[in-house]
Amino acid sequence: YLLTDTEITSAPGNPLVEGRSLAQSPLHQGSAKGTFLAPSGRWDTSLIARYVGEQYEDDLNERSLDAAFILNAVARYRVTPTITFVVE
């Protein structure tokens, strides 16, 4: 989990952005991963979940990006000690 509370405190070249949030910097982010390793040790699977909170797209904080939840799956099979087949 990551909490990023940003504020532009000084911008001599663009005073309109002072006091606003940093663009593309969500307040909340987090991720989690779960892995299952087969008893044989030759294959495993993982699920990776990631959350990115709402954020502003622009420096003036006028355009926002919705929060997003991303779920990835990975499967690996060890063919030999030096070759592994991976599907993401």
Side-chain angles (χ1 to χ4, degrees), residues 6-50:
T6 64
E7 180 183 341
I8 299 171
T9 57
S10 177
N14 189 2
L16 292 175
V17 302
E18 290 181 12
R20 300 182 190 270
S21 295
L22 190 61
Q24 299 180 0
S25 182
L27 180 63
H28 301 283
Q29 297 182 64
S31 63
K33 178 181 179 180
T35 300
F36 172 76
L37 178 59
S40 68
R42 294 197 63 161
W43 66 273
D44 66 83
T45 58
S46 298
L47 285 176
I48 303 102
R50 181 171 180 222

